[in-house]
Amino acid sequence: LVGIALIGLVFFTNQVQHHKTFGQWGPESMASRKWSYLPRVLVTGFLPFHGMSTNPASNVAQRLNGTCTSSVCFEGLPVPVDRAGTKLVAGMLSHGGRWDAVLHLGLEDGAKGLMLETVAMNVKASERAPSSNARLQCGKDLPMVAPSAQCLLATTAPLNRVDTNAISHRIHAPHEAADKRASPREFWSRDAGAYYCNEIYFRTLHAVRQFEIQTKQRGAKKGELMPVLFVHLPNSTEVSVAISAAVVRAIAEAIAGQV
């Protein structure tokens, strides 16, 4: 946990310095000024938990860290599966940390595809909570994250720009062609669960609204908020980390890339 806290501190320090250079984060190409105008996307991924040896969420975040496409650059942050982990990004936002979009990643072992979560519920995570939050009531079944906030917060990501059919066709890069595992199916979901996945999502969405953090995308309407989206990934035994990373990359380009 100390190591994770230090990672968060490094990220915050980098934010204060306004990311004058990408060189310390990734490939040499990112240090070039030609990347300085690209939108920056923070990708968080939960670490292994409950005896798991690996978690595709943190694997994808680490794989994307320090890389760029033609339209976005990535910073990857591994997050512990606990309350402290759920507060990391919201805490950095409250202290001036800024990105062009935030993508939270988690593992949905019970689903056989990709889950794009459209809503977060104002409830604190519980080990005894059901995997679904559909029957929960804020403040009654579980304590609320923010008692003064509304029960549900919708994603701030421009979902109309996420074409799941197009993403499916884009993820098969040549180096992944030999992978015999199926590419993930894409699903829209209104139930992020009642565990730490939902809590980190709610905390970040609440912080963006509380501090009125607006998007910097060209062509965006005045007052439009910074995109935040949670993506549940399938287990790496079903879909490779390389393909999951390609999907996340395409989603990031859709919600944060220049229009």
Side-chain angles (χ1 to χ4, degrees), residues 61-135:
Q62 292 168 341
R63 187 183 186 94
L64 294 178
N65 182 45
T67 67
C68 291
T69 69
S70 60
S71 58
V72 296
C73 286
F74 295 95
E75 295 173 15
L77 177 64
V79 175
V81 185
D82 56 23
R83 181 131 302 125
T86 69
K87 296 179 180 180
L88 273 176
V89 175
M92 288 187 279
L93 290 173
S94 70
H95 287 86
R98 294 294 181 268
W99 295 271
D100 294 279
V102 175
L103 274 176
H104 291 305
L105 307 180
L107 170 66
E108 176 53 80
D109 199 26
K112 298 300 182 182
L114 191 74
M115 307 293 286
L116 281 69
E117 305 293 348
T118 59
V119 179
M121 178 175 270
N122 187 0
V123 292
K124 289 185 176 180
S126 169
E127 295 285 349
R128 296 171 303 204
S131 58
S132 170
N133 64 30
R135 296 173 182 256

Side-chain angles (χ1 to χ4, degrees), residues 215-231:
T215 181
K216 295 182 287 184
Q217 292 182 15
R218 281 179 279 184
K221 296 179 181 178
K222 184 177 181 180
E224 193 170 327
L225 298 174
M226 181 188 75
V228 178
L229 182 64
F230 194 102
V231 180

Side-chain angles (χ1 to χ4, degrees), residues 171-188:
I171 63 176
H172 295 290
H175 68 278
E176 295 158 355
D179 197 313
K180 300 185 184 303
R181 282 167 287 190
S183 60
R185 295 171 293 160
E186 295 84 17
F187 294 99
W188 299 108

